[in-house]
Amino acid sequence: MTVKLNKKAFDNAKHLISDGKIVKDVRDDWSEHAPSTQDENKFLEKHGQAEYSKWYLGVDDDHPDDQKGHYKFPFGDFKKIHRCAVISAESRAAQNDYDDIRDALGKLLERIDEDNKD
């Protein structure tokens, strides 16, 4: 499996943070905050593959880019970036030795924590 950093998604995530479109939640919230399969399908149908891809920091070249399986490491709910998603994805990327994705997620987490202090 060849999973690499999706630079368009990384740029999208940085813009979301700059625009204040952040949910500053805690690590374990992602299981409840993650979009459902139905939500993913609705977003994909309404906005298309290009917009859908901007919400996933990893791309898997073992799957065609017109399949949902091509996209890995979601970081938000199609409206805002979620801190819990970034933390969860960073942990999974580290476990699977996807260093470029792990590093990008670490940078996003730093920005979230800097730009969105309570």
Side-chain angles (χ1 to χ4, degrees):
M1 177 165 53
T2 306
V3 179
K4 61 186 177 189
L5 179 65
N6 179 353
K7 291 182 175 119
K8 288 181 182 178
F10 185 50
D11 289 342
N12 182 45
K14 290 187 289 188
H15 287 296
L16 290 166
I17 294 167
S18 295
D19 292 345
K21 295 180 180 178
I22 305 166
V23 177
K24 192 169 181 182
D25 41 20
V26 295
R27 178 183 194 105
D28 296 331
D29 288 345
W30 186 235
S31 61
E32 293 183 25
H33 293 183
S36 67
T37 300
Q38 184 178 4
D39 291 337
E40 289 178 341
N41 291 339
K42 284 181 184 177
F43 185 88
L44 190 54
E45 185 177 314
K46 183 174 182 179
H47 299 282
Q49 203 74 33
E51 287 301 310
Y52 180 83
S53 71
K54 292 180 185 178
W55 290 92
Y56 295 84
L57 273 183
V59 290
D60 180 351
D61 288 336
D62 286 346
H63 296 275
D65 62 3
D66 63 346
Q67 292 181 356
K68 285 177 23 179
H70 182 72
Y71 303 100
K72 310 286 187 200
F73 301 102
F75 58 82
D77 61 7
F78 303 120
K79 295 179 185 127
K80 294 182 178 184
I81 187 170
H82 282 248
R83 185 176 185 274
C84 62
V86 172
I87 293 169
S88 176
E90 183 182 29
S91 176
R92 285 187 304 115
Q95 289 170 353
N96 292 289
D97 297 322
Y98 301 137
D99 296 339
D100 57 343
I101 296 169
R102 181 205 61 215
D103 293 347
L105 287 157
K107 290 175 185 174
L108 294 175
L109 185 59
E110 286 176 12
R111 285 180 179 220
I112 288 169
D113 289 345
E114 287 174 3
D115 291 349
N116 195 25
K117 292 186 180 185
D118 292 329

